């Protein structure tokens, strides 16, 4: 089957009312990919998903043109915790997340690498790699864990490309590890990509350390805070400190046409997702629009 090029763009969608509801929301807003939490993201415990709910979800996905679906793991998981009990709990929770992804045929699970709290970054990196290996070892399936680039708040690990590369290098399950680049987070962490020259330099650094082939997901967010602020506050596309040029460069970059791009921008209703996607479509060049078969609002 020939792969049809399309604009791979969507948003994080609520699963309120059932997992399949996220797909309905995706269709309503015109997503071609989307992200979900497979359970409440601030609770350890997940109630088992019924076979009926799994089937309903898979059917909704198949009937839609939304592909791939991305899952985001719980915020509570901390593989780098200095407390052994928390690490154990985190590994169990991560295994559960992988199992659910497997049941739902979800190819990517985005994970915050972890916070070392009062240890060194090096110790944090080692614990994360060990935790990932244990969870992956005990979880058959093909779902890839995409480690998210972090803004650098507190003691979080993963705010530099080098830290993510080290976690990967130490792992024995490299085939099931990738990276999710969050534009707001890397900007807050100090990576500038707001104009052509620094944009190219940022990606060549990413390629040298992590490798472009390990990029599985992009979280597309503008930033309320300045470059290097280390504070994670998402903003509507082009309305923040990152601005239009960076997103124009990103969305017209053919290297990333096949990478799912997910909005996590502030919203009250689905209207904001539609608005952000329209802004992005407005940044596409004529050439990109033709290649990705994006219909222009204006009659061609
Ligand atoms: Zn995240
Ligand atoms: Mn993110
Ligand atoms: Mn964030």
């Amino acid at each position: 089957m020939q792969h049809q090029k399309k604009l791979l763009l969507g948003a994080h969608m609520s699963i309120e009312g059932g997992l399949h509801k996220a797909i309905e929301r995706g269709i309503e807003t015109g997503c071609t990919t989307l992200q979900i939490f497979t359970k409440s993201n601030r609770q350890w415990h997940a109630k088992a998903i019924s076979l009926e709910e799994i089937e309903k979800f898979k059917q909704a996905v198949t009937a839609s043109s939304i592909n791939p679906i991305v899952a985001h793991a719980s915020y509570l998981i901390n593989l780098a915790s200095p407390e052994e009990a928390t690490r154990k709990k985190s590994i169990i929770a991560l295994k559960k997340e992988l199992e659910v992804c497997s049941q739902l045929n979800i190819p990517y699970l985005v994970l915050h690498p972890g916070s070392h709290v009062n240890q060194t970054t090096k110790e944090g990196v080692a614990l994360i790699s060990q935790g990932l290996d244990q969870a992956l070892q005990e979880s058959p399936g093909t779902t890839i864990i995409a480690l998210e680039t972090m803004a650098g708040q507190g003691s979080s690990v993963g705010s530099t490309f080098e830290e993510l590369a080290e976690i990967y290098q130490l792992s024995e399950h490299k085939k099931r590890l990738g990276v999710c680049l969050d534009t707001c987070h890397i900007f807050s962490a100090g990576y500038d990509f707001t104009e052509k020259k620094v944009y190219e330099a940022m990606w060549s650094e990413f390629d040298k350390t992590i490798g472009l082939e390990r990029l599985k997901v992009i979280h597309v967010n503008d930033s309320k805070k300045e470059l290097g602020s280390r504070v994670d506050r998402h903003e509507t596309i082009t309305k923040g400190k990152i601005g239009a040029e960076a997103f124009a460069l990103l969305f017209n970059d053919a290297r990333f046409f096949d990478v799912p791009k997910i909005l996590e921008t502030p919203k009250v209703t689905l209207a904001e997702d539609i608005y952000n996607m329209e802004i992005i479509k407005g940044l596409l060049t004529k050439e990109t629009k033709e290649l990705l078969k994006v219909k222009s609002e204006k009659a061609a």
Side-chain angles (χ1 to χ4, degrees):
M1 217 195 325
Q2 225 210 306
H3 178 66
Q4 170 116 31
K5 284 249 179 270
K6 61 179 179 181
L7 175 66
L8 265 189
L9 175 62
H12 184 97
M13 287 297 170
S14 159
I15 56 163
E16 199 189 328
L19 286 164
H20 66 285
K21 284 282 185 187
I23 307 303
E24 287 177 18
R25 293 177 178 112
I27 293 167
E28 203 182 319
T29 49
C31 293
T32 52
T33 179
L34 60 77
Q35 177 177 277
I36 56 170
F37 293 116
T38 61
K39 62 176 191 66
S40 164
N41 61 317
R42 295 181 194 279
Q43 280 176 353
W44 282 107
H45 265 283
K47 69 171 169 49
I49 303 172
S50 69
L51 281 175
E52 193 194 340
E53 200 177 347
I54 291 168
E55 274 317 304
K56 232 172 156 179
F57 176 81
K58 289 204 281 192
Q59 276 170 22
V61 174
T62 308
S64 79
S65 50
I66 301 173
N67 180 41
I69 307 293
V70 176
H72 195 303
S74 165
Y75 293 147
L76 298 177
I77 294 175
N78 184 9
L79 299 176
S81 172
E83 307 290 334
E84 197 188 349
T86 305
R87 288 201 304 276
K88 276 191 173 160
K89 225 169 152 179
S90 294
I91 290 166
I92 291 167
L94 182 56
K95 281 163 60 180
K96 183 71 195 165
E97 298 257 9
L98 284 166
E99 186 192 325
V100 171
C101 285
S102 221
Q103 289 174 313
L104 300 174
N105 291 333
I106 292 177
Y108 305 119
L109 176 65
V110 175
L111 175 73
H112 295 179
S115 293
H116 65 69
V117 187
N118 52 14
Q119 309 165 93
T120 63
T121 302
K122 200 177 169 188
E123 286 167 322
V125 161
L127 287 174
I128 292 164
S129 203
Q130 285 161 27
L132 288 168
D133 273 357
Q134 193 181 332
L136 287 167
Q137 179 78 49
E138 295 164 12
S139 306
T142 55
T143 300
I144 290 176
I145 295 177
L147 299 169
E148 185 167 357
T149 58
M150 301 309 286
Q153 294 193 141
S155 66
S156 68
V157 179
S159 60
T160 67
F161 298 159
E162 286 80 5
E163 286 168 22
L164 294 176
E166 269 174 62
I167 294 169
Y168 176 83
Q169 287 309 334
L170 290 173
S171 165
E172 280 161 19
H173 292 267
K174 293 186 172 62
K175 278 192 188 132
R176 293 184 68 196
L177 285 180
V179 165
C180 166
L181 180 133
D182 185 309
T183 53
C184 168
H185 296 177
I186 64 166
F187 185 76
S188 301
Y191 292 94
D192 192 358
F193 52 98
T194 52
E195 46 105 354
K196 182 80 177 165
K197 211 174 151 192
V198 285
Y199 174 87
E200 290 304 339
M202 182 277 282
W203 280 114
S204 83
E205 196 180 334
F206 183 97
D207 194 28
K208 261 187 282 169
T209 50
I210 294 169
L212 285 178
E213 67 283 3
R214 291 202 181 95
L215 179 68
K216 302 303 175 193
V217 181
I218 300 176
H219 282 169
V220 186
N221 303 305
D222 208 326
S223 174
K224 282 197 203 302
K225 300 290 175 180
E226 310 283 343
L227 175 70
S229 65
R230 300 177 78 87
V231 178
D232 179 13
R233 294 286 180 281
H234 301 187
E235 179 59 289
T236 303
I237 303 303
T238 73
K239 306 299 181 206
K241 305 288 183 198
I242 297 177
E245 193 175 346
F247 294 105
L249 288 163
L250 179 67
F251 277 89
N252 290 296
D253 193 330
R255 291 175 295 181
F256 309 121
F257 284 170
D258 289 334
V259 179
K261 293 165 217 72
I262 309 282
L263 291 159
E264 294 173 320
T265 37
K267 63 172 166 182
V268 181
T269 66
L270 297 177
E272 287 90 336
D273 288 334
I274 295 171
Y275 177 71
N276 275 285
M277 287 195 269
E278 281 307 314
I279 291 176
I280 288 165
K281 285 175 190 168
L283 298 174
L284 302 179
T285 62
K286 193 168 168 273
E287 197 189 1
T288 304
K289 280 187 177 179
E290 277 169 14
L291 259 165
L292 302 181
K293 294 166 191 74
V294 175
K295 280 181 222 102
S296 175
E297 300 74 66
K298 289 155 208 136

